[in-house]
Amino acid sequence: MSIDACIAHAIHSDLDILQVLPELKGMPVESLEPYIENYILTVQQDLRQVIISNGDRFIRAKDAAGLCATCMEAGIGIPPKMLLKMCQTILQLSTIDARFILDTEDGTSLFYVRMGLDMREQSTQAA
């Protein structure tokens, strides 16, 4: 996937907008959409800039923590735990090659997908 698609997916799946912007609770409803849209566009642009300028080595090394630290140093104002989850999602999706093929007659989209899988067993320890 392109880095833009990876970032967009990470924002969609991992960003808790109410946790990041608690001031939304007190805003008038008509102000919410433009405020949130502006915030998300800014985050997407900032993440893209940081990843393109300083993130390649972390993506190649599959180092989500390093990418997260780089984003934090660059001033991305997302709580560390949430930002780390977003960086993990970006790294996972960056190994997937997906291409749109066509929309079927019933409206289903068909994609070609190639992805790398790490089949090594991961040990988990009970806390």
Side-chain angles (χ1 to χ4, degrees), residues 82-118:
M82 190 182 307
L83 184 58
L84 177 59
K85 178 65 176 132
M86 292 173 69
C87 290
Q88 290 168 337
T89 298
I90 290 167
L91 290 179
Q92 289 169 351
L93 294 175
S94 70
T95 62
I96 297 174
D97 180 16
R99 291 189 202 108
F100 174 75
I101 304 295
L102 59 91
D103 283 326
T104 63
E105 290 178 10
D106 67 350
T108 304
S109 296
L110 179 65
F111 288 86
Y112 164 81
V113 178
R114 184 182 74 192
M115 65 179 80
L117 299 175
D118 184 355

Side-chain angles (χ1 to χ4, degrees), residues 36-67:
I36 293 169
E37 184 176 331
N38 183 54
Y39 177 80
I40 289 174
L41 287 174
T42 301
V43 167
Q44 188 166 8
Q45 291 169 350
D46 291 349
L47 282 171
R48 184 180 193 282
Q49 181 61 39
V50 170
I51 291 171
I52 287 176
S53 62
N54 299 319
D56 186 55
R57 64 182 172 168
F58 300 109
I59 290 176
R60 290 180 191 270
K62 306 277 187 252
D63 181 4
L67 183 59

Side-chain angles (χ1 to χ4, degrees), residues 14-22 24 35-36 39-40 82:
D14 303 322
L15 183 68
D16 181 346
I17 199 74
L18 290 176
Q19 183 179 354
V20 176
L21 299 173
L24 293 177
Y35 191 84
I36 293 169
Y39 177 80
I40 289 174
M82 190 182 307

